[in-house]
Amino acid sequence: TVMLASGLLAVNSAERLGDGAGLIHTYANFGAVTSGHGLNRIARRYYDKARQLAIATNDLGGLAHIGYTSAVLYITTCDWKSCAQHFEPAVAAAMRTGDHQLIEMNLVARGFFELYLGRIATAAATFDSVRERAHKRLNRQHEAWGHSWRAGCLILLNRCPEALDSIAAALQLLAPLNDNAKLVSYALRCHALLHLGRPDQGIEAADVTYAAVSKIPAIIWEKYRGLSAPAEVYVHAWERTNDPAVVDKMRRATDVLLRRLELVSRRMPLAQPATLRLMGMREFLEGNPQRGEKLLRKSIAAAVRLGMPIDEGIGEYELARRIASNRSERRTHIKNARATLQRIGCDLYLKKIGDVEGA
């Protein structure tokens, strides 16, 4: 509420002053604030006003600023049409200004767009270019972003050891900062350890992520991974153990994370497929296969509707490995998963699908 009030006050002040460049930035910043609060129609209106003014005044810096701030709206709502329409012009405008900060911020936004559309290797290269640019000019924060998000792509490409190296480099760069700045790196680290087959270390890393995210009240954009990644580690740990004490610990931690994740997904469609998938996996562990299967199917449907092929393929995989009683349907889900994952080059889950087929 305070941020919204402050943002609206800034808009009113900028409109009274009539400073075009200042007004463009203020409109765009207010768009980011309202989008972060789930007020997406208001956010879209202010981004449109900012963009119209920037085009009318040929303000390249303004267009570039709108480009990366609008990613908060377009990516979290899975508005890929607007991403395709606005991100490349924003990158081009940033390049023409020569402002390295603007260039890197817009490249990060484009990298997320590429990643969520399933262009995993392309996104990895984009994030690596951010890392390289930032390293040359000693911008530790941007260099860490490049390392971390390249790592997120490398995990999906089944290159987890390289991903861990990148995450370690990111955390070293971020060492002077607080856990809020490190949250995504923490989340990706526990995710990489899980898929590398190092469960004990994965749980330790998940515990670090859990402790960090517990201190962060507002979860926006990619920070939802601070909830989903440790939840996934805990669900898999729960699945592997017969120790009642471990089951109880994993259940309690998972439930806390999933309650928060469900709230985030209501205002941020980007998180819906992962949320539904993890909720479904939890129901199977609680002995509710019908409820679990229904949630996994909802996860797949949400991923298809939102145009998120990575989550679609993972959802098909998770469903395939849990419906052994129906061999025909299981083969269908394996086939669907393989087709989606091959198309996007998600080698991590292609290998897992191979393991399911051989089981």
Side-chain angles (χ1 to χ4, degrees):
T1 304
V2 173
M3 289 180 67
L4 285 170
S6 299
L8 192 56
L9 181 62
V11 167
N12 291 337
S13 298
E15 287 178 336
R16 283 198 303 271
L17 290 171
D19 174 23
L23 192 53
I24 291 166
H25 282 68
T26 304
Y27 281 161
N29 292 342
F30 190 58
V33 170
T34 51
S35 177
H37 283 77
L39 303 172
N40 296 328
R41 283 190 294 181
I42 296 174
R44 192 175 298 276
R45 185 186 315 148
Y46 277 94
Y47 283 131
D48 288 345
K49 290 175 71 171
R51 189 173 290 108
Q52 290 166 8
L53 184 55
I55 291 171
T57 58
N58 195 31
D59 187 335
L60 296 176
L63 284 170
H65 183 75
I66 298 161
Y68 75 80
T69 55
S70 64
V72 178
L73 171 66
Y74 300 144
I75 290 179
T76 60
T77 59
C78 304
D79 183 356
W80 312 125
K81 182 179 178 180
S82 292
C83 290
Q85 182 179 355
H86 299 304
F87 283 4
E88 279 305 322
V91 170
M95 292 288 188
R96 287 177 64 188
T97 67
D99 185 320
H100 295 291
Q101 190 86 353
L102 286 175
I103 292 168
E104 289 159 16
M105 295 291 282
N106 278 284
L107 286 173
V108 168
R110 189 177 74 184
F112 285 129
F113 174 44
E114 293 163 344
L115 175 60
Y116 282 112
L117 287 192
R119 302 169 189 165
I120 304 170
T122 301
T126 298
F127 291 128
D128 196 43
S129 73
V130 173
R131 178 204 59 77
E132 186 175 3
R133 281 175 170 274
H135 178 74
K136 288 178 180 177
R137 64 189 192 90
L138 304 179
N139 185 318
R140 298 170 70 91
Q141 178 75 71
H142 286 197
E143 185 180 355
W145 288 351
H147 272 299
S148 289
W149 287 112
R150 176 175 177 269
C153 298
L154 293 177
I155 294 168
L156 295 169
L157 295 171
N158 202 26
R159 293 161 59 184
C160 291
E162 291 177 68
L164 284 173
D165 288 342
S166 284
I167 292 164
L171 288 172
Q172 185 174 2
L173 289 162
L174 297 171
L177 304 181
N178 62 23
D179 281 347
N180 198 344
K182 300 171 187 172
L183 181 62
V184 169
S185 298
Y186 286 157
L188 292 171
R189 180 174 61 183
C190 70
H191 204 222
L193 289 165
L194 167 68
H195 293 298
L196 198 55
R198 289 155 60 176
D200 292 341
Q201 289 176 286
I203 292 171
E204 290 177 7
D207 289 345
V208 171
T209 311
Y210 181 98
V213 79
S214 297
K215 296 180 287 186
I216 301 171
I219 299 297
I220 60 170
W221 202 6
E222 285 299 326
K223 289 186 178 177
Y224 84 89
R225 293 178 187 270
L227 300 169
S228 65
E232 185 175 357
V233 171
Y234 293 145
V235 164
H236 281 279
W238 180 356
E239 187 175 5
R240 287 191 311 270
T241 189
N242 293 316
D243 185 331
V246 176
V247 168
D248 185 60
K249 178 187 175 184
M250 297 301 107
R251 177 191 285 115
R252 283 187 286 107
T254 299
D255 287 350
V256 169
L257 293 167
L258 290 185
R259 279 195 294 271
R260 288 191 69 188
L261 196 55
E262 190 174 10
L263 290 173
V264 169
S265 70
R266 289 177 187 173
R267 59 178 170 77
M268 198 172 85
L270 184 74
Q272 287 177 8
T275 303
L276 290 164
R277 182 171 69 246
L278 289 164
M279 290 170 63
M281 292 162 68
R282 184 200 178 284
E283 290 296 331
F284 272 98
L285 291 170
E286 288 284 21
N288 303 318
Q290 289 184 326
R291 175 68 176 156
E293 184 176 329
K294 182 178 180 180
L295 285 164
L296 285 176
R297 291 183 188 281
K298 282 187 174 182
S299 171
I300 295 166
V304 172
R305 174 172 49 82
L306 295 169
M308 300 176 66
I310 296 171
D311 282 281
E312 179 188 349
I314 296 172
E316 293 280 8
Y317 157 75
E318 292 292 354
L319 185 55
R321 77 185 187 93
R322 285 175 168 80
I323 54 172
S325 60
N326 189 331
R327 291 187 176 274
S328 175
E329 187 175 4
R330 185 167 179 263
R331 285 195 298 269
T332 297
H333 288 293
I334 289 173
K335 181 181 177 181
N336 291 344
R338 181 173 292 283
T340 300
L341 297 167
Q342 279 181 334
R343 175 168 56 83
I344 61 178
C346 186
D347 293 340
L348 175 69
Y349 279 92
L350 278 172
K351 181 179 182 303
K352 291 178 185 290
I353 280 290
D355 294 341
V356 170
E357 286 178 311

